[in-house]
Amino acid sequence: MTIDQIEAQMKARALNFVGLGALVKFDLGGGDVLFIDGRATPPTVGRQGAAPDTTLTISGDNLMKLADGKLAPTLAFMTGKLKVSGNMGIALKLANMLED
């Protein structure tokens, strides 16, 4: 899956991130990054962002599995498919939003 496809799918789900209240960076590897700005109304998804509150390192394929409910966030974290740096509380809140 390309970064363009991932970005399009995350933009389609942007309203799921209402109430996040934080800027989250997804480091997809290979220099590809996506940001979810949950501070904006409505939330935005893009490739540009300031200093994030939380950074999640995950492959694009695994990100889409998380978003589609095919990979549990806790399992991804415990198996090393997802790494979190920054505010863990925001990561947990985002995980709940992705699961809905």
Side-chain angles (χ1 to χ4, degrees), residues 39-89:
R39 300 175 297 194
T41 304
T44 60
V45 175
R47 296 187 200 178
Q48 302 282 330
D53 299 298
T54 299
T55 299
L56 305 176
T57 304
I58 189 170
S59 71
D61 288 338
N62 284 330
L63 175 58
M64 292 307 3
K65 287 178 186 175
L66 276 176
D68 291 338
K70 296 178 182 172
L71 178 62
T74 304
L75 179 63
F77 181 76
M78 298 301 273
T79 59
K81 294 179 181 180
L82 170 66
K83 294 183 172 79
V84 179
S85 60
N87 188 320
M88 182 63 86

